[in-house]
Amino acid sequence: ALPPWNAGVGFLASACGNVQLTRSYAPPSRAPSTSSPSASSSSGPSGAELASRWFRAPHADAGPEMHRVLQRHGFTNVLCDSFANDTIITDPDFIASTLLSLIDPQGGSIVVIHTPERGFREHNFEALRLFLQAVADMNLSVLSVSDLTRAAHASLSRSPSSS
């Protein structure tokens, strides 16, 4: 079971500025539906209908041509609301505390931190550890963008105003 929508932090970890973030690589138009049409219309899209391929444009810079290519190949461009400039700043405490100060614990957030590796952005190993520990201490859940999307749709389908 997914945690409530307001208990999630979507997490993007990227190398080179773009990454597919979900294990479901079928474009939404080809994803098989697991619910009946009547169930879909009353309760919102099923998990399969929400399957997507995620992309994060480098520096959030996506022009009209990139949008056409993303659409043609079934990608959704994802923006974040929590980023600590970890490609330039190398202080793990600063990165973790900045990310934490930017997340929205009531409505969920999408966090970007670049993938560390040996000899490259190693400071992000510690930043990730600090950030994830603090998120756990706040009783928030770290979700993939796919799971955060499903949780948001489930929350909307349960809301009295969506009827």
Side-chain angles (χ1 to χ4, degrees):
L2 292 174
W5 162 242
N6 65 352
V9 175
F11 192 70
L12 301 174
S14 68
C16 307
N18 56 61
V19 65
Q20 293 178 5
L21 298 168
T22 180
R23 290 184 177 93
S24 175
Y25 296 111
S29 61
R30 295 185 191 164
S33 175
T34 58
S35 62
S36 69
S38 60
S40 263
S41 60
S42 64
S43 64
S46 72
E49 291 165 328
L50 291 172
S52 188
R53 295 168 66 173
W54 305 110
F55 178 84
R56 185 185 68 85
H59 311 285
D61 186 13
E65 180 60 28
M66 183 180 287
H67 284 289
R68 284 190 290 277
V69 170
L70 294 174
Q71 185 175 19
R72 183 171 56 243
H73 293 284
F75 282 90
T76 299
N77 191 25
V78 178
L79 298 177
C80 70
D81 62 343
S82 183
F83 176 65
N85 212 7
D86 63 290
T87 57
I88 296 171
I89 297 169
T90 60
D91 178 351
D93 293 314
F94 175 86
I95 293 168
S97 65
T98 300
L99 292 174
L100 289 165
S101 74
L102 295 170
I103 62 172
D104 177 0
Q106 299 303 310
S109 284
I110 297 179
V111 174
V112 170
I113 189 165
H114 292 79
T115 305
E117 55 188 84
R118 285 194 179 147
F120 186 62
R121 295 190 185 123
E122 286 190 12
H123 59 277
N124 281 348
F125 284 117
E126 180 65 8
L128 275 168
R129 188 189 67 72
L130 293 168
F131 174 77
L132 293 172
Q133 183 58 58
V135 166
D137 292 346
M138 296 168 68
N139 292 317
L140 297 175
S141 299
V142 176
L143 307 172
S144 69
V145 173
S146 295
D147 286 343
L148 190 63
T149 301
R150 278 189 286 279
H153 282 273
S155 176
L156 289 173
S157 69
R158 289 189 305 267
S159 128
S161 62
S162 67
S163 306

